[in-house]
Amino acid sequence: YLLWKYENFLEGQGKSGYSPTRFDKIEKPELEHIAPQTENPETGYDSYDEEFVNQYINCLGNYLLLSKSHNCSVGNKPFADKRNSYNHLEQQREIQKMTAESATWTKELIQQRKDKIVKFVIENVDSGGFVEVYDDGTCSFKEVFENRTFADGTTFGVKVE
């Protein structure tokens, strides 16, 4: 749900007069791991060292909203193949833009995307003080929270592990 709201936010950048994409536009939505959970030797991803596996694979910045059929079709493919298929939603095109200079999905790009999504949450969600923002611009969710409200009145919950 959070990535769908982020999709609506990206769609609205610099545009007006369009209705936000409805959640049911995406058939059987799933979370895609851009860098797959299982290392692919035909890479396009950062080295699957301990830091990458433990801190970046299940990071918010490494998740992408896809339909179930799209997610199944890209699976564990090299990043170049996945990237070429990311052309349906704004957040998919965001990945293309982020990797225009280099066709490698890196720790830095995952962190950069996570920071953008968290900034979106901070600016658009009434978190009731559950989001901690630090002086260096980073932030974290203090705990699990439910039924928080977006600026448009819709609600959601977050579970951070």
Side-chain angles (χ1 to χ4, degrees):
Y1 184 79
L2 179 63
L3 287 178
W4 169 65
K5 295 303 268 184
Y6 182 63
E7 174 67 21
N8 284 189
F9 167 75
L10 291 175
E11 285 178 351
Q13 297 297 295
K15 301 174 191 170
S16 62
Y18 295 94
S19 298
T21 297
R22 290 175 42 101
F23 190 69
D24 59 5
K25 174 185 175 186
I26 305 163
E27 293 182 22
K28 299 180 182 174
E30 291 189 349
L31 288 180
E32 147 81 341
H33 286 83
I34 300 169
Q37 294 172 295
T38 305
E39 184 174 9
N40 182 334
E42 297 178 47
T43 195
Y45 310 101
D46 253 348
S47 171
Y48 273 63
D49 60 19
E50 186 175 339
E51 178 188 26
F52 189 70
V53 170
N54 292 331
Q55 294 182 31
Y56 293 93
I57 292 297
N58 290 310
C59 176
L60 181 59
N62 191 47
Y63 290 137
L64 188 61
L65 189 60
L66 295 182
S67 70
K68 180 180 180 105
S69 60
H70 190 176
N71 194 15
C72 290
S73 73
V74 295
N76 197 30
K77 289 187 176 180
F79 180 67
D81 293 347
K82 286 185 169 192
R83 183 183 184 278
N84 289 336
S85 78
Y86 293 161
N87 53 26
H88 301 282
L89 299 173
E90 285 300 320
Q91 63 187 276
Q92 294 171 16
R93 288 187 281 277
E94 175 186 49
I95 302 304
Q96 290 183 341
K97 291 174 191 167
M98 291 177 75
T99 56
E101 302 289 318
S102 171
T104 303
W105 187 240
T106 64
K107 296 172 189 174
E108 294 77 21
L109 291 172
I110 293 169
Q111 183 64 46
Q112 183 182 71
R113 184 161 183 268
K114 175 192 157 211
D115 291 345
K116 284 177 67 176
I117 296 169
V118 168
K119 181 177 188 254
F120 160 75
V121 169
I122 290 169
E123 292 175 354
N124 293 280
V125 178
D126 170 19
S127 69
F130 292 106
V131 179
E132 178 80 24
V133 182
Y134 304 105
D135 291 336
D136 65 0
T138 61
C139 60
S140 66
F141 295 103
K142 291 182 187 176
E143 59 186 90
V144 174
F145 60 88
E146 296 177 6
N147 299 325
R148 297 296 160 197
T149 306
F150 279 95
D152 68 2
T154 56
T155 60
F156 80 108
V158 171
K159 180 178 180 184
V160 180
E161 296 181 13

